[in-house]
């Protein structure tokens, strides 16, 4: 039976999730996280910056990406990233079989409030998983970049921060995210 096509349209923003098969770890070392992020960056360049990462979080057994697309379908980017990473992981750990649990999940983000809500959800993932107490302490998330604690790499924070007063945008975003922890 053929699979259903994913909902997508030019210029859409999506919340992408990728989970390890049987909820197993897909990152076992710091090198694994770095390889995934480098591959993501190279893949975006390969497609001539047709994609922008708004926020991300790499957890041990799953991934969250908030991606804005232009004219190239998201399946191209995700196919390239996931195929490369699965080959890398399987080779490194002598793993056989599927690394990921089925296809990646994708949901179109269709409102400004939902853009912010998804970004906050992604940023708080390590806190809710009891890995860190504060979201800025998690190394494999875009949150420290969004609040100005780390130099911005890979992401484009303009879209998310545009909803806040420009002179205080990073602090106001921080308050927005951390309000959900109370």
């Amino acid at each position: 039976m053929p699979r259903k096509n994913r909902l997508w349209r030019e210029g859409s923003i999506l919340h992408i999730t990728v989970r390890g098969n049987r909820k197993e770890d897909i990152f076992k070392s710091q090198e694994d996280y770095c390889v995934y992020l480098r591959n993501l960056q190279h893949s975006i360049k390969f497609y001539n910056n047709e994609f922008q990462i708004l926020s991300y979080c790499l957890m041990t057994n799953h991934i969250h990406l908030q991606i804005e697309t232009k004219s190239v379908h998201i399946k191209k980017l995700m196919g390239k990233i996931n195929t490369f990473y699965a080959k890398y992981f399987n080779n490194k750990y002598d793993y056989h079989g599927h690394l990921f649990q089925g296809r990646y999940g994708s949901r179109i983000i269709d409102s400004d409030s939902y853009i912010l809500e998804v970004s906050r959800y992604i940023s708080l993932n390590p806190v809710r998983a009891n890995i860190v107490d504060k979201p800025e302490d998690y190394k494999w998330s875009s949150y420290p970049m969004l609040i100005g604690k780390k130099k911005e790499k890979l992401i484009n924070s303009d879209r998310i921060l545009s909803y806040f007063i420009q002179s205080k945008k990073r602090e106001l975003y921080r308050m927005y995210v951390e309000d959900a922890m109370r």
Side-chain angles (χ1 to χ4, degrees):
M1 177 186 279
R3 294 194 279 198
K4 288 173 74 174
N5 284 333
R6 297 211 176 265
L7 290 177
W8 176 82
R9 60 183 173 264
E10 266 187 43
S12 57
I13 298 175
L14 301 134
H15 180 195
I16 303 292
T17 54
V18 182
R19 185 170 301 284
N21 200 18
R22 295 177 298 280
K23 297 184 181 180
E24 291 180 12
D25 289 353
I26 54 177
F27 300 106
K28 294 186 177 195
S29 71
Q30 289 212 9
E31 178 187 29
D32 296 345
Y33 291 98
C34 292
V35 165
Y36 188 89
L37 291 174
R38 271 195 312 271
N39 178 40
L40 179 57
Q41 188 170 29
H42 292 322
S43 297
I44 289 170
K45 284 181 184 172
F46 178 83
Y47 287 110
N48 297 316
N49 296 311
E50 285 287 318
F51 304 95
Q52 285 190 358
I53 306 299
L54 305 183
S55 65
Y56 71 84
C57 187
L58 309 181
M59 302 292 283
T60 54
N61 69 353
H62 68 282
I63 298 162
H64 290 276
L65 302 170
Q66 187 176 25
I67 300 178
E68 184 169 5
T69 68
K70 293 182 184 172
S71 61
V72 176
H73 197 293
I74 191 67
K75 69 182 177 184
K76 300 278 191 183
L77 180 70
M78 293 311 299
K80 187 167 183 57
I81 295 166
N82 288 349
T83 299
F84 173 87
Y85 187 75
K87 286 179 182 177
Y88 155 82
F89 187 94
N90 288 349
N91 184 51
K92 180 178 180 181
Y93 295 106
D94 195 28
Y95 191 92
H96 301 280
H98 297 283
L99 175 61
F100 299 116
Q101 178 182 304
R103 293 195 298 173
Y104 63 92
S106 66
R107 177 167 265 160
I108 291 179
I109 300 170
D110 55 6
S111 71
D112 292 338
S113 61
Y114 195 27
I115 289 170
L116 287 173
E117 186 181 318
V118 168
S119 179
R120 177 168 56 188
Y121 175 82
I122 289 171
S123 296
L124 290 175
N125 223 253
V127 174
R128 291 187 173 129
N130 294 315
I131 297 171
V132 294
D133 291 328
K134 298 184 296 187
E136 68 261 25
D137 293 339
Y138 192 68
K139 186 175 182 176
W140 307 109
S141 165
S142 58
Y143 183 73
M145 292 175 245
L146 286 162
I147 63 168
K149 284 261 187 185
K150 283 173 66 176
K151 185 180 176 198
E152 214 171 278
K153 290 188 240 173
L154 185 62
I155 67 163
N156 182 339
S157 65
D158 293 344
R159 180 65 178 254
I160 290 170
L161 297 178
S162 72
Y163 299 104
F164 301 94
I165 299 168
Q166 290 304 298
S167 62
K168 298 179 179 182
K169 61 186 176 186
R170 294 187 191 278
E171 182 57 31
L172 291 171
Y173 178 73
R174 174 191 208 113
M175 290 168 57
Y176 169 76
V177 170
E178 293 181 7
D179 268 357
M181 293 171 47
R182 294 184 188 103

